[in-house]
Amino acid sequence: MEMKNLSRRNLLKLAGAGMMGATAAGFLAGCGPVPSESKSVEASAEGASGHDYSGLEVQQSEAYAVVAGGGAAGLMAAYKLAKEGKKPLVIEKGASCASSNFAKLSGPAACDTTVQAASGITLATKLNVYNQLTTWAKGSVNTKLISNLLDYSSEAVQDLLDMGLTFYTYVDYTGDPKYANDIKWAPLHNFTQEGEERIAPVVAAIEDLGGSFIYNCEATEVIMEGGKVAGIRAIEGGKVLHEISTPAVFLATGGFGGSEEMVKDLFKGIPVCNMGTPNNTGDGIRMAHEVGAVSEEFAGLVGNEICGSNVKHGNAMYDENWNLNNENLAFAIYGGLVLDKTGERFMNEELLAVDPLVYSGQAGLAQGKYYVLVDGEYYDACTEEGVYSYLGEPDWDFGREMFYPVLSAAPGQFEAAVSEGWAAKGDTIAEVAEVFGLDHLEETVAAYNALCQAGKDTQFGKDPMFLTPIKEGKGYYLFEYNAAYWTTLGGVRTNDHLIALTGDNEPIEGLYIGGVNMGSAFCRPYYDIKGAACGLSIASGVMAATEMISYIEG
């Protein structure tokens, strides 16, 4: 994408809208959006970045700061600004903020919170969480930024508590104190509320403090003047062009998973399924690029930990009660034999079984598509008694808490999977291998069974509890899977104050980046701390608001 600074004056001239009249009064603390005269844009009007605004009604206004995106980061930024008496404006692309991923995800990872103290969790200190994140990232993130974000972690959780939301930890949920001593689980705060019940109190708290929202409103351009942010443009309902004068913009528009073009480009054509909101189309990344910002050199995802997925089946995998519409998707993470497109093993299948949040997405990104083979006995066990019981209830945390412990509906849904082209059943290994062209499957099974008989996986180190041989006698089931994600990761490079950076590592004054668009705060694969994306996102909102106030008021 072309990277250049936009001239605010030229931008408005091209739009035929005249000057916005950005007075100093609009930038004073406590000043909310101030509407001015509305008028029609000229039919041929076009923004400096090629955006077509012809035929739109123009509404000009001013705001202390504008937050683009009403998800985890955006709402927390708006609340912090409003709490400090600054009256922010939130632009939300959806019909409400309940359309964001924040309304559905399990909860944030955080450190040093009152929730953890009440659960007896002392492990999740800032230092321990920082060390886990930065060690996992292996130098691929801005470590000072991670440190700064974690400084706001406890405040972010407390703000949510103050707004009326509640949490429970895995210590509370399971009654098992071991989760208090596991750095992968101890930081996680699960929300008690979901959907509108979660979002409504947050929005109400922001509005009660003087913040305002514009819904069905897609941010399109950041306006620059003299190398600094001077405003933002957004289209409401496809009819009204909002031109908002502001010295600071926080881009927290979510990932790019809803943009087929960006997904294809950034994942190099690898097929993936989007389980998150379709509204996250990389708007914040695109707008930042248009004013000279650059992105980090990676794209990752928060993988689907519930089941497998396949683009032939589609993105829609659940009903309103989170029941799978085809339970045969689940075999991806139930400990079977995992194969590449040649029919050879390529990883330790245990990783998919014990930590699918991280490795299910990574397996799909690494291979494009991967396959899982189970024998008829294994399949029947999963559908009749459950794989955890069948394996003898081993030391497998995910197995104890499986979303679908018994896949009782799978047999009745199997033919649908076959018809869609991602499942096969046969009496011999050769028969199922032929369906997907896995030329080396037979020899792989023979070698794998030898490892199972020896009781030690000398190839990839799979734990003996998952070393179940592929048995003869009841046929074979073979499934094809792709990566799926709740949200994408990666995007704009920032400094440790969340300010977007140019290719020369120069800050773009007034332009702040948050949420999963923080390319400098995330890595590939996703962190092994549960809830890391949400945790860093809510912290980025509080931090960005603090930084914007400091910038605006000097």
Side-chain angles (χ1 to χ4, degrees):
M1 296 180 182
E2 185 179 6
M3 299 177 185
K4 61 181 180 179
N5 283 357
L6 300 178
S7 163
R8 173 173 172 261
R9 186 172 288 105
N10 289 338
L11 179 63
L12 296 176
K13 182 178 179 181
L14 285 168
M19 294 300 295
M20 286 193 294
T23 63
F27 298 154
L28 295 177
C31 180
V34 181
S36 58
E37 182 182 359
S38 298
K39 51 188 173 182
S40 295
V41 178
E42 296 175 2
S44 61
E46 185 177 278
S49 296
H51 300 283
D52 183 7
Y53 301 120
S54 58
L56 299 180
E57 174 189 348
V58 177
Q59 289 189 5
Q60 298 173 343
S61 61
E62 301 171 355
Y64 180 87
V66 174
V67 174
L75 289 175
M76 298 308 296
Y79 179 74
K80 174 69 173 180
L81 287 165
K83 189 169 64 170
E84 298 298 324
K86 309 306 178 186
K87 296 182 174 59
L89 172 63
V90 179
I91 299 169
E92 167 53 39
K93 191 174 184 179
S96 77
C97 293
S99 64
S100 71
N101 285 332
F102 185 51
K104 298 179 289 186
L105 52 78
S106 58
C111 52
D112 301 317
T113 69
T114 57
V115 175
Q116 290 163 338
S119 297
I121 296 173
T122 60
L123 181 71
T125 64
K126 176 192 171 180
L127 180 60
N128 287 343
V129 174
Y130 171 84
N131 283 336
Q132 185 73 9
L133 294 177
T134 56
T135 299
W136 180 267
K138 292 179 171 57
S140 62
V141 297
N142 182 331
T143 55
K144 182 64 180 298
L145 174 60
I146 297 297
S147 177
N148 289 348
L149 287 168
L150 293 178
D151 283 337
Y152 291 93
S153 179
S154 179
E155 180 180 349
V157 169
Q158 189 58 51
D159 282 346
L160 289 165
L161 291 169
D162 292 344
M163 287 184 270
L165 299 186
T166 53
F167 301 94
Y168 64 91
T169 69
Y170 255 72
V171 176
D172 305 325
Y173 179 66
T174 65
D176 191 339
K178 80 171 189 175
Y179 289 102
N181 300 309
D182 186 338
I183 193 60
K184 295 182 180 182
W185 290 96
L188 177 61
H189 296 61
N190 289 286
F191 281 111
T192 304
Q193 299 86 359
E194 184 180 342
E196 186 63 35
E197 184 184 6
R198 179 185 303 175
I199 297 301
V202 179
V203 171
I206 294 167
E207 291 179 332
D208 288 346
L209 291 169
S212 57
F213 293 79
I214 305 176
Y215 296 109
N216 295 310
C217 191
E218 180 178 354
T220 58
E221 295 184 70
V222 175
I223 303 169
M224 303 293 293
E225 184 173 349
K228 301 179 181 180
V229 168
I232 191 170
R233 300 179 118 188
I235 299 175
E236 179 186 1
K239 298 179 180 180
V240 177
L241 174 64
H242 289 272
E243 293 181 337
I244 306 158
S245 174
T246 184
V249 169
F250 182 45
L251 297 179
T253 57
F256 55 86
S259 168
E260 291 185 12
E261 180 182 358
M262 291 186 73
V263 167
K264 183 176 181 180
D265 178 43
L266 293 172
F267 290 134
K268 312 304 180 187
I270 294 171
V272 287
C273 295
N274 180 18
M275 299 166 60
T277 173
N279 289 337
N280 291 352
T281 54
D283 301 336
I285 298 173
R286 174 189 53 75
M287 287 187 289
H289 286 179
E290 288 174 349
V291 296
V294 295
S295 283
E296 296 289 2
E297 296 297 323
F298 87 99
L301 49 83
V302 179
N304 166 26
E305 79 278 31
I306 296 179
C307 63
S309 60
N310 191 288
V311 294
K312 297 172 184 176
H313 179 72
N315 296 332
M317 292 179 254
Y318 310 98
D319 64 18
E320 64 278 6
N321 297 315
W322 291 97
N323 297 310
L324 277 176
N325 53 33
N326 196 315
E327 291 186 354
N328 291 283
L329 292 167
F331 285 94
I333 55 176
Y334 278 34
L337 182 60
V338 178
L339 311 146
D340 64 16
K341 62 184 179 181
T342 71
E344 296 180 347
R345 291 181 77 198
F346 64 90
M347 69 178 297
N348 178 352
E349 297 90 350
E350 175 190 353
L351 298 176
L352 283 171
V354 301
D355 207 349
L357 184 62
V358 173
Y359 293 103
S360 64
Q362 193 60 17
L365 291 183
Q367 299 298 324
K369 51 188 175 183
Y370 62 100
Y371 300 85
V372 172
L373 177 71
V374 298
D375 59 61
E377 179 183 311
Y378 197 101
Y379 186 90
D380 290 345
C382 289
T383 62
E384 294 170 4
E385 61 177 298
V387 65
Y388 183 62
S389 176
Y390 176 67
L391 294 177
E393 299 188 0
D395 184 18
W396 177 18
D397 288 341
F398 188 79
R400 294 189 185 92
E401 306 297 334
M402 297 186 90
F403 296 97
Y404 307 101
V406 181
L407 304 175
S408 57
Q413 298 165 337
F414 183 77
E415 287 305 317
V418 173
S419 66
E420 290 173 350
W422 55 275
K425 180 182 179 182
D427 294 328
T428 66
I429 293 173
E431 187 179 348
V432 294
E434 185 178 3
V435 175
F436 296 108
L438 308 190
D439 295 337
H440 299 294
L441 183 56
E442 288 183 282
E443 59 198 75
T444 297
V445 170
Y448 177 71
N449 281 348
L451 296 175
C452 293
Q453 185 176 1
K456 186 175 183 180
D457 181 6
T458 55
Q459 186 179 19
F460 291 112
K462 187 175 183 179
D463 191 292
M465 70 179 175
F466 293 112
L467 275 176
T468 304
I470 304 298
K471 301 181 181 69
E472 298 178 352
K474 297 186 71 174
Y476 304 93
Y477 294 78
L478 186 62
F479 301 97
E480 180 185 84
Y481 298 112
N482 305 116
Y485 55 89
W486 298 109
T487 186
T488 56
L489 297 172
V492 182
R493 179 181 297 166
T494 71
N495 64 13
D496 49 87
H497 296 280
L498 290 176
I499 303 173
L501 297 176
T502 68
D504 295 327
N505 262 15
E506 292 298 322
I508 300 174
E509 293 189 44
L511 185 60
Y512 297 83
I513 309 296
V516 293
N517 286 340
M518 295 184 292
S520 302
F522 291 103
C523 58
R524 174 177 170 181
Y526 179 49
Y527 294 116
D528 62 344
I529 290 182
K530 319 301 179 185
C534 181
L536 292 176
S537 293
I538 63 172
S540 76
V542 180
M543 177 178 167
T546 305
E547 294 284 349
M548 287 191 288
I549 292 171
S550 177
Y551 168 70
I552 293 170
E553 301 185 5

